[in-house]
Amino acid sequence: MGSFSSSTRLSRLSVKVILTQTDTTVGFLSQDEKKLQDIKSRQSSKPFIKVYKNFKTLLASQHRIPSKFKNRVRRSKKTTFIVKNRAFRVHESSLDSQVLKKYFWHYSTSANESSKNFDRDFCMQKADIIVENKDGLRELSSSSLYKINHSRRKRIR
């Protein structure tokens, strides 16, 4: 695993699949939904969660969040929301990675084969870039999931 000291090298990278420890579990991140579908052998009808760098970026992306829940979304930790069949999370990354700082958003999914547990060898083969800190990659619990509309919030997981 190499380290980057210059962000100019990163600008030449095409859309890649990144393996990293997210705030909830080990995950694949990419801006290319098709690449993630291929890795996970997932149906194209099943959407991915879109993770935003911060709340301001989420609002700029034309996501309409019901006023009643804006504060909850802004302050949430380890929580995914679904509004009008679009799943999203806000996560300000604590990793000091130039690769992750470059993007304002990315699609996210757990780093495993569909309906299987984390397998480090599988993930290492499928990822283009691996971002790992001193704690390594650990499978933890998934995020809470809520479906919200203009009047109510329903817990899904």
Side-chain angles (χ1 to χ4, degrees):
M1 182 167 70
S3 64
F4 297 108
S5 59
S6 169
S7 61
T8 56
R9 288 179 61 190
L10 297 174
S11 62
R12 290 181 284 187
L13 292 173
S14 64
V15 178
K16 300 289 185 183
V17 175
I18 302 166
L19 174 67
T20 188
Q21 182 74 41
T22 65
D23 58 333
T24 54
T25 191
V26 182
F28 287 124
L29 310 175
S30 181
Q31 288 196 323
D32 188 348
E33 195 172 16
K34 179 77 171 110
K35 281 187 179 183
L36 291 177
Q37 286 172 350
D38 291 344
I39 288 172
K40 299 272 291 183
S41 303
R42 192 172 180 170
Q43 299 172 356
S44 60
S45 61
K46 189 173 179 183
F48 290 99
I49 296 170
K50 205 168 186 181
V51 180
Y52 291 91
K53 189 174 186 174
N54 53 38
F55 189 72
K56 189 176 180 179
T57 307
L58 170 67
L59 293 178
S61 71
Q62 306 302 314
H63 265 287
R64 303 252 333 161
I65 301 167
S67 297
K68 183 176 181 178
F69 298 108
K70 280 187 180 178
N71 278 335
R72 182 174 300 274
V73 171
R74 182 184 304 117
R75 294 181 180 148
S76 68
K77 304 282 188 232
K78 300 181 182 184
T79 306
T80 300
F81 295 95
I82 301 171
V83 177
K84 295 187 178 183
N85 295 324
R86 291 171 54 185
F88 63 89
R89 278 183 29 210
V90 176
H91 171 62
E92 296 184 24
S93 178
S94 59
L95 291 175
D96 224 11
S97 167
Q98 292 292 332
V99 175
L100 296 177
K101 285 181 182 180
K102 176 183 171 185
Y103 301 107
F104 293 109
W105 65 270
H106 47 263
Y107 293 109
S108 175
T109 186
S110 58
N112 56 20
E113 292 181 77
S114 287
S115 65
K116 293 186 180 178
N117 290 334
F118 173 67
D119 178 14
R120 188 176 183 91
D121 294 330
F122 168 79
C123 295
M124 295 294 201
Q125 291 172 356
K126 299 296 183 179
D128 298 316
I129 299 171
I130 301 162
V131 178
E132 190 172 355
N133 64 10
K134 63 180 173 59
D135 297 328
L137 301 172
R138 297 172 287 136
E139 185 175 29
L140 305 171
S141 61
S142 57
S143 63
S144 301
L145 182 62
Y146 290 94
K147 188 168 188 169
I148 57 178
N149 61 28
H150 68 282
S151 61
R152 64 185 215 127
R153 165 181 68 125
K154 180 180 178 184
R155 185 178 179 111
I156 308 252
R157 78 167 173 224

